[in-house]
Amino acid sequence: VVGGALEAVGGTLLFKMCVDNAGETEHVAAACIGDAGNRQFLLLTLPTAGGALKVETAARSTNPVAGIAAAYAGLMDAFKAAA
């Protein structure tokens, strides 16, 4: 579902993982929308026990994983340039 939604708006899934956040296990994905200076990073979280999908900007997120979204995107940019 996330992949289809990102594709519809021209976004890119950066990574997804399962992490423990303050004693709660959750699925976390980072995505970006836009390019160059207009790129916005999103963090999507879903508790493994079930619940609502939360989507927020990485800049406003308090989730510890949010801090690596921009760094990961920069790494992907470097890989594309080297290829």
Side-chain angles (χ1 to χ4, degrees):
V1 172
V2 171
L6 288 171
E7 185 177 318
V9 296
T12 303
L13 180 66
L14 299 172
F15 61 82
K16 58 183 177 178
M17 63 180 74
C18 189
V19 298
D20 180 35
N21 184 13
E24 299 290 327
T25 307
E26 61 187 3
H27 298 285
V28 179
C32 66
I33 297 174
D35 54 9
N38 296 325
R39 191 159 36 181
Q40 180 148 7
F41 300 101
L42 303 175
L43 195 69
L44 303 90
T45 55
L46 180 67
T48 57
L53 175 67
K54 181 178 179 181
V55 179
E56 59 188 333
T57 62
R60 293 189 178 174
S61 177
T62 59
N63 189 302
V65 176
I68 65 173
Y72 192 86
L75 179 63
M76 298 308 296
D77 290 343
F79 284 154
K80 284 181 186 176

Coordinates of all heavy atoms in Angstrom, one line a residue:
V1 N 0.8 -1.2 0.0 CA 0.0 0.0 0.0 C 0.9 1.3 0.0 O 0.6 2.2 -0.8 CB -1.0 0.0 1.2 CG1 -1.7 1.3 1.4 CG2 -1.9 -1.1 1.1
V2 N 1.9 1.3 0.8 CA 2.8 2.4 0.9 C 3.5 2.6 -0.4 O 3.6 3.8 -0.9 CB 3.8 2.3 2.1 CG1 4.9 3.3 2.0 CG2 3.1 2.3 3.4
G3 N 4.0 1.6 -1.0 CA 4.7 1.7 -2.3 C 3.8 2.3 -3.4 O 4.2 3.1 -4.2
G4 N 2.5 1.8 -3.4 CA 1.6 2.4 -4.4 C 1.3 3.8 -4.2 O 1.2 4.6 -5.1
A5 N 1.1 4.2 -2.9 CA 0.8 5.6 -2.6 C 2.0 6.5 -3.0 O 1.8 7.6 -3.5 CB 0.5 5.8 -1.1
L6 N 3.2 6.0 -2.7 CA 4.4 6.8 -3.0 C 4.6 7.0 -4.5 O 4.9 8.0 -5.0 CB 5.7 6.2 -2.4 CG 5.8 6.4 -0.9 CD1 6.9 5.6 -0.4 CD2 6.0 7.8 -0.5
E7 N 4.3 5.9 -5.2 CA 4.4 5.9 -6.7 C 3.4 6.9 -7.3 O 3.8 7.7 -8.2 CB 4.2 4.5 -7.3 CG 4.4 4.4 -8.7 CD 4.2 3.0 -9.3 OE1 4.6 2.1 -8.6 OE2 3.6 2.9 -10.3
A8 N 2.2 7.0 -6.7 CA 1.2 7.9 -7.2 C 1.6 9.4 -7.1 O 1.2 10.2 -7.9 CB -0.1 7.7 -6.5
V9 N 2.4 9.7 -6.1 CA 2.8 11.1 -5.9 C 4.3 11.3 -6.2 O 4.9 12.4 -5.9 CB 2.6 11.5 -4.4 CG1 1.1 11.5 -4.1 CG2 3.4 10.7 -3.4
G10 N 4.9 10.3 -6.9 CA 6.3 10.5 -7.3 C 7.3 10.4 -6.2 O 8.4 10.9 -6.3
G11 N 6.9 9.7 -5.1 CA 7.8 9.5 -4.0 C 8.7 8.3 -4.1 O 8.5 7.4 -5.0
T12 N 9.6 8.2 -3.2 CA 10.6 7.0 -3.2 C 10.7 6.5 -1.8 O 10.9 7.2 -0.8 CB 12.0 7.5 -3.6 OG1 11.9 8.1 -4.9 CG2 13.0 6.3 -3.6
L13 N 10.5 5.1 -1.6 CA 10.8 4.5 -0.4 C 12.3 4.4 -0.2 O 13.0 3.9 -1.0 CB 10.1 3.1 -0.4 CG 10.3 2.3 0.9 CD1 9.5 2.9 2.0 CD2 9.8 0.9 0.7
L14 N 12.7 4.9 1.0 CA 14.2 4.9 1.3 C 14.6 3.6 2.0 O 15.6 3.0 1.6 CB 14.6 6.1 2.1 CG 14.3 7.4 1.5 CD1 14.5 8.6 2.5 CD2 15.2 7.6 0.3
F15 N 13.9 3.2 3.0 CA 14.1 2.0 3.8 C 13.0 1.6 4.6 O 12.1 2.5 4.8 CB 15.4 2.1 4.6 CG 15.3 3.2 5.7 CD1 14.7 3.0 6.9 CD2 15.9 4.4 5.5 CE1 14.6 4.0 7.9 CE2 15.8 5.4 6.5 CZ 15.2 5.2 7.7
K16 N 13.0 0.4 5.1 CA 12.0 -0.1 6.0 C 12.6 -1.0 7.0 O 13.6 -1.7 6.6 CB 10.8 -0.7 5.3 CG 11.1 -1.9 4.5 CD 9.9 -2.4 3.8 CE 10.3 -3.6 2.8 NZ 9.2 -4.2 2.2
M17 N 12.2 -1.0 8.2 CA 12.8 -1.9 9.3 C 11.8 -2.1 10.4 O 10.8 -1.3 10.5 CB 14.1 -1.3 9.8 CG 13.9 0.1 10.4 SD 15.5 0.8 11.1 CE 16.2 1.3 9.6
C18 N 12.1 -3.0 11.2 CA 11.3 -3.2 12.4 C 12.2 -2.9 13.6 O 13.3 -3.3 13.7 CB 10.9 -4.7 12.5 SG 9.7 -5.0 13.8
V19 N 11.7 -2.0 14.5 CA 12.5 -1.5 15.6 C 11.7 -1.5 16.9 O 10.5 -1.5 16.9 CB 13.0 -0.1 15.3 CG1 13.9 0.0 14.1 CG2 11.9 0.9 15.2
D20 N 12.5 -1.4 18.0 CA 11.9 -1.3 19.3 C 12.0 0.2 19.7 O 13.1 0.7 19.7 CB 12.7 -2.2 20.3 CG 12.1 -2.1 21.7 OD1 10.9 -1.9 21.9 OD2 12.9 -2.1 22.7
N21 N 10.9 0.8 19.9 CA 10.9 2.2 20.3 C 10.2 2.4 21.6 O 9.0 2.3 21.7 CB 10.2 3.1 19.2 CG 10.2 4.5 19.4 OD1 11.0 5.0 20.3 ND2 9.4 5.3 18.7
A22 N 11.0 2.7 22.6 CA 10.4 2.9 24.0 C 9.6 1.7 24.5 O 8.5 1.8 25.0 CB 9.6 4.2 24.1
G23 N 10.1 0.5 24.2 CA 9.4 -0.7 24.6 C 8.3 -1.3 23.7 O 7.7 -2.3 23.9
E24 N 8.0 -0.5 22.6 CA 7.0 -0.9 21.7 C 7.7 -1.3 20.3 O 8.5 -0.5 19.8 CB 6.0 0.2 21.4 CG 5.2 0.6 22.7 CD 4.2 -0.5 23.1 OE1 3.7 -1.2 22.3 OE2 4.1 -0.6 24.4
T25 N 7.4 -2.4 19.8 CA 7.9 -2.8 18.5 C 7.1 -2.3 17.4 O 5.8 -2.3 17.5 CB 8.0 -4.4 18.4 OG1 8.7 -4.9 19.5 CG2 8.7 -4.8 17.1
E26 N 7.7 -1.7 16.4 CA 7.0 -1.1 15.3 C 7.7 -1.3 14.0 O 8.9 -1.4 13.9 CB 6.7 0.4 15.6 CG 7.9 1.3 15.7 CD 7.6 2.7 16.2 OE1 6.4 3.0 16.4 OE2 8.5 3.5 16.3
H27 N 6.9 -1.3 12.9 CA 7.5 -1.2 11.6 C 7.7 0.3 11.3 O 6.8 1.1 11.5 CB 6.5 -1.8 10.5 CG 6.2 -3.3 10.8 ND1 7.1 -4.3 10.5 CD2 5.1 -3.9 11.3 CE1 6.6 -5.4 10.8 NE2 5.4 -5.2 11.3
V28 N 8.9 0.6 10.7 CA 9.2 2.0 10.4 C 9.7 2.0 8.9 O 10.5 1.2 8.5 CB 10.3 2.5 11.3 CG1 10.6 4.0 10.9 CG2 9.8 2.5 12.8
A29 N 9.2 3.0 8.2 CA 9.7 3.2 6.8 C 9.9 4.7 6.7 O 9.3 5.5 7.3 CB 8.6 2.7 5.8
A30 N 10.9 5.0 5.9 CA 11.2 6.4 5.5 C 11.1 6.5 4.0 O 11.4 5.6 3.2 CB 12.6 6.7 5.9
A31 N 10.5 7.7 3.6 CA 10.3 8.0 2.2 C 10.7 9.4 1.9 O 10.8 10.2 2.9 CB 8.8 7.7 1.9
C32 N 10.9 9.7 0.7 CA 11.0 11.1 0.3 C 10.1 11.4 -0.9 O 9.8 10.6 -1.7 CB 12.5 11.4 0.0 SG 13.2 10.6 -1.4
I33 N 9.7 12.7 -0.9 CA 8.9 13.2 -2.0 C 9.6 14.5 -2.5 O 10.0 15.3 -1.7 CB 7.5 13.5 -1.5 CG1 6.8 12.2 -1.0 CG2 6.6 14.2 -2.5 CD1 5.5 12.5 -0.3
G34 N 9.6 14.7 -3.8 CA 10.3 15.8 -4.4 C 11.7 15.5 -4.7 O 12.2 14.4 -4.5
D35 N 12.5 16.5 -5.1 CA 13.9 16.3 -5.4 C 14.7 17.5 -5.1 O 14.2 18.6 -4.9 CB 14.1 15.9 -6.9 CG 13.4 16.8 -7.9 OD1 13.0 17.9 -7.5 OD2 13.4 16.5 -9.1
A36 N 16.0 17.3 -5.1 CA 17.0 18.4 -4.8 C 16.6 19.2 -3.6 O 16.3 18.6 -2.5 CB 17.1 19.3 -6.0
G37 N 16.5 20.5 -3.7 CA 16.2 21.4 -2.5 C 14.8 21.3 -2.1 O 14.4 21.8 -1.0
N38 N 13.9 20.7 -2.9 CA 12.5 20.6 -2.5 C 12.1 19.3 -1.9 O 10.9 18.9 -1.8 CB 11.6 20.9 -3.8 CG 11.8 22.3 -4.3 OD1 12.0 23.2 -3.5 ND2 11.7 22.5 -5.6
R39 N 13.1 18.5 -1.6 CA 12.8 17.1 -1.1 C 12.3 17.2 0.3 O 12.8 17.9 1.2 CB 14.1 16.3 -1.2 CG 13.9 14.9 -1.0 CD 15.0 14.0 -1.5 NE 16.3 14.5 -1.4 CZ 17.4 13.8 -1.9 NH1 17.2 12.6 -2.4 NH2 18.6 14.3 -1.8
Q40 N 11.2 16.4 0.6 CA 10.7 16.3 1.9 C 10.8 14.9 2.4 O 10.4 14.0 1.6 CB 9.3 16.8 2.0 CG 8.6 16.7 3.3 CD 7.6 17.8 3.6 OE1 7.3 18.5 2.7 NE2 7.2 17.8 4.8
F41 N 11.2 14.6 3.6 CA 11.3 13.3 4.1 C 10.1 12.9 5.0 O 9.7 13.8 5.9 CB 12.6 13.1 4.9 CG 13.8 13.4 4.0 CD1 14.5 14.6 4.1 CD2 14.2 12.4 3.1 CE1 15.5 14.9 3.2 CE2 15.3 12.7 2.3 CZ 16.0 13.9 2.3
L42 N 9.6 11.8 4.8 CA 8.5 11.3 5.6 C 8.9 10.1 6.4 O 9.7 9.3 6.0 CB 7.3 10.9 4.7 CG 6.8 12.0 3.8 CD1 5.7 11.4 2.8 CD2 6.2 13.2 4.6
L43 N 8.2 9.9 7.6 CA 8.4 8.7 8.4 C 7.1 8.1 8.6 O 6.1 8.8 9.0 CB 9.0 9.1 9.8 CG 9.6 7.9 10.6 CD1 10.8 7.4 9.9 CD2 9.9 8.3 12.0
L44 N 7.0 6.8 8.3 CA 5.7 6.1 8.4 C 5.9 5.0 9.5 O 6.9 4.2 9.4 CB 5.4 5.4 7.1 CG 5.2 6.4 5.9 CD1 6.5 6.5 5.2 CD2 4.2 5.9 5.0
T45 N 5.1 4.9 10.5 CA 5.2 3.9 11.5 C 3.9 3.2 11.7 O 2.8 3.7 11.6 CB 5.6 4.6 12.9 OG1 4.7 5.6 13.2 CG2 7.0 5.2 12.8
L46 N 4.1 1.9 12.0 CA 2.9 1.0 12.3 C 3.3 0.0 13.4 O 4.2 -0.7 13.3 CB 2.6 0.3 11.0 CG 1.4 -0.7 11.1 CD1 0.1 0.0 11.3 CD2 1.3 -1.5 9.8
P47 N 2.5 0.1 14.5 CA 2.8 -0.9 15.6 C 2.7 -2.3 15.1 O 1.8 -2.6 14.3 CB 1.8 -0.6 16.6 CG 1.3 0.8 16.3 CD 1.4 0.9 14.8
T48 N 3.6 -3.2 15.5 CA 3.5 -4.6 15.1 C 2.3 -5.3 15.7 O 1.8 -6.3 15.1 CB 4.8 -5.4 15.5 OG1 5.0 -5.3 16.9 CG2 6.0 -4.9 14.7
A49 N 1.8 -4.8 16.8 CA 0.6 -5.4 17.4 C -0.7 -4.9 16.7 O -1.7 -5.4 17.1 CB 0.6 -5.0 18.9
G50 N -0.5 -4.1 15.7 CA -1.7 -3.5 15.0 C -2.0 -2.1 15.5 O -1.5 -1.6 16.5
G51 N -2.8 -1.5 14.7 CA -3.1 -0.1 15.0 C -3.1 0.7 13.7 O -3.0 0.2 12.6
A52 N -3.1 2.0 13.9 CA -3.2 3.0 12.7 C -1.8 3.3 12.2 O -0.8 3.3 13.0 CB -3.8 4.3 13.2
L53 N -1.7 3.4 10.9 CA -0.5 3.9 10.3 C -0.3 5.4 10.6 O -1.2 6.2 10.3 CB -0.5 3.7 8.8 CG 0.6 4.2 7.9 CD1 1.9 3.4 8.3 CD2 0.3 4.1 6.4
K54 N 0.9 5.8 11.0 CA 1.2 7.2 11.3 C 2.1 7.7 10.3 O 3.2 7.1 10.1 CB 1.8 7.3 12.7 CG 2.1 8.7 13.2 CD 2.6 8.7 14.6 CE 3.0 10.1 15.1 NZ 3.5 10.0 16.4
V55 N 1.8 8.8 9.7 CA 2.7 9.4 8.7 C 3.0 10.8 9.1 O 2.1 11.6 9.5 CB 2.0 9.5 7.3 CG1 2.9 10.1 6.3 CG2 1.6 8.1 6.8
E56 N 4.3 11.1 9.2 CA 4.7 12.5 9.7 C 6.0 12.9 8.9 O 6.7 12.0 8.4 CB 4.9 12.5 11.2 CG 5.9 11.5 11.6 CD 6.0 11.4 13.2 OE1 5.7 12.3 13.9 OE2 6.4 10.3 13.6
T57 N 6.3 14.2 8.9 CA 7.5 14.6 8.3 C 8.6 14.2 9.3 O 8.5 14.2 10.5 CB 7.6 16.1 8.1 OG1 7.5 16.8 9.4 CG2 6.5 16.6 7.2
A58 N 9.8 13.8 8.7 CA 10.9 13.4 9.5 C 11.4 14.6 10.4 O 11.8 14.4 11.5 CB 12.0 12.9 8.7
A59 N 11.3 15.8 9.9 CA 11.7 16.9 10.7 C 10.9 17.2 11.9 O 11.5 17.6 12.9 CB 11.6 18.2 9.8
R60 N 9.7 16.8 12.0 CA 8.8 17.0 13.1 C 8.7 15.7 14.0 O 8.1 15.8 15.0 CB 7.5 17.5 12.7 CG 7.5 18.9 12.1 CD 6.2 19.4 11.9 NE 6.3 20.8 11.4 CZ 5.3 21.5 11.0 NH1 4.1 21.0 11.0 NH2 5.5 22.7 10.6
S61 N 9.2 14.6 13.5 CA 9.1 13.3 14.2 C 10.0 13.3 15.5 O 11.1 13.8 15.4 CB 9.4 12.2 13.3 OG 9.3 11.0 14.0
T62 N 9.5 12.6 16.5 CA 10.3 12.4 17.7 C 10.9 11.0 17.7 O 11.6 10.6 18.6 CB 9.5 12.6 19.0 OG1 8.4 11.7 19.0 CG2 9.0 14.0 19.1
N63 N 10.6 10.2 16.6 CA 11.1 8.9 16.5 C 12.6 8.9 16.2 O 13.0 9.6 15.3 CB 10.3 8.1 15.4 CG 10.6 6.7 15.3 OD1 11.8 6.3 15.2 ND2 9.6 5.9 15.4
P64 N 13.4 8.1 16.9 CA 14.8 8.2 16.7 C 15.3 7.8 15.3 O 16.3 8.3 14.8 CB 15.4 7.1 17.7 CG 14.3 6.9 18.7 CD 13.0 7.2 18.0
V65 N 14.5 7.0 14.6 CA 14.8 6.6 13.2 C 14.7 7.8 12.2 O 15.4 7.8 11.2 CB 13.9 5.5 12.7 CG1 14.2 5.1 11.3 CG2 14.1 4.3 13.7
A66 N 13.9 8.8 12.6 CA 13.7 10.0 11.7 C 15.0 10.6 11.3 O 15.2 11.1 10.2 CB 12.8 10.9 12.3
G67 N 16.0 10.7 12.2 CA 17.2 11.4 11.9 C 18.1 10.8 10.8 O 18.9 11.4 10.2
I68 N 17.9 9.5 10.5 CA 18.7 8.9 9.4 C 18.1 9.0 8.0 O 18.7 8.6 7.1 CB 19.1 7.4 9.8 CG1 17.8 6.5 9.8 CG2 19.8 7.4 11.1 CD1 18.2 5.1 10.0
A69 N 16.9 9.4 7.9 CA 16.2 9.5 6.6 C 17.0 10.3 5.6 O 17.2 9.9 4.5 CB 14.8 10.0 6.7
A70 N 17.3 11.6 6.0 CA 18.1 12.4 5.1 C 19.4 11.9 4.8 O 19.9 12.0 3.6 CB 18.2 13.8 5.7
A71 N 20.1 11.3 5.8 CA 21.4 10.7 5.5 C 21.4 9.6 4.6 O 22.2 9.4 3.7 CB 22.0 10.3 6.9
Y72 N 20.3 8.8 4.7 CA 20.2 7.6 3.8 C 19.9 8.1 2.4 O 20.4 7.6 1.4 CB 19.1 6.7 4.3 CG 19.0 5.4 3.6 CD1 19.8 4.3 4.0 CD2 18.2 5.2 2.5 CE1 19.8 3.1 3.4 CE2 18.2 4.0 1.8 CZ 19.0 2.9 2.3 OH 19.0 1.7 1.6
A73 N 19.1 9.1 2.2 CA 18.8 9.7 0.9 C 20.1 10.2 0.3 O 20.3 10.0 -0.9 CB 17.8 10.8 1.0
G74 N 20.9 10.9 1.1 CA 22.2 11.4 0.5 C 23.1 10.2 0.1 O 23.8 10.3 -0.9
L75 N 23.1 9.1 0.8 CA 23.9 8.0 0.4 C 23.4 7.4 -0.9 O 24.1 7.0 -1.8 CB 23.8 6.9 1.5 CG 24.5 5.6 1.3 CD1 26.0 5.8 1.2 CD2 24.2 4.6 2.4
M76 N 22.0 7.3 -1.1 CA 21.5 6.8 -2.3 C 21.8 7.7 -3.5 O 22.1 7.3 -4.6 CB 19.9 6.7 -2.2 CG 19.5 5.6 -1.1 SD 20.3 4.0 -1.3 CE 19.7 3.5 -2.8
D77 N 21.8 9.1 -3.2 CA 22.2 10.0 -4.3 C 23.7 9.7 -4.7 O 24.0 9.8 -5.9 CB 22.1 11.5 -3.8 CG 20.7 11.9 -3.6 OD1 19.7 11.2 -4.1 OD2 20.5 12.9 -2.9
A78 N 24.5 9.5 -3.8 CA 25.9 9.2 -4.1 C 26.1 7.9 -4.9 O 26.9 7.8 -5.8 CB 26.8 9.1 -2.8
F79 N 25.3 6.9 -4.5 CA 25.3 5.6 -5.3 C 24.9 5.8 -6.7 O 25.4 5.3 -7.6 CB 24.5 4.6 -4.6 CG 25.1 3.9 -3.4 CD1 24.3 3.4 -2.4 CD2 26.5 3.9 -3.2 CE1 24.9 2.8 -1.3 CE2 27.1 3.3 -2.1 CZ 26.3 2.8 -1.1
K80 N 23.8 6.6 -6.9 CA 23.3 6.9 -8.2 C 24.3 7.6 -9.1 O 24.5 7.3 -10.2 CB 22.0 7.7 -8.2 CG 20.8 6.9 -7.8 CD 19.6 7.8 -7.7 CE 18.4 7.0 -7.2 NZ 17.2 7.9 -7.1
A81 N 25.0 8.6 -8.5 CA 26.0 9.4 -9.2 C 27.2 8.5 -9.6 O 27.8 8.7 -10.6 CB 26.5 10.6 -8.3
A82 N 27.5 7.5 -8.7 CA 28.7 6.7 -9.0 C 28.4 5.6 -10.1 O 29.3 5.1 -10.7 CB 29.1 6.0 -7.7
A83 N 27.1 5.3 -10.2 CA 26.7 4.2 -11.2 C 26.8 4.6 -12.6 O 27.0 5.2 -13.4 CB 25.3 3.8 -10.9

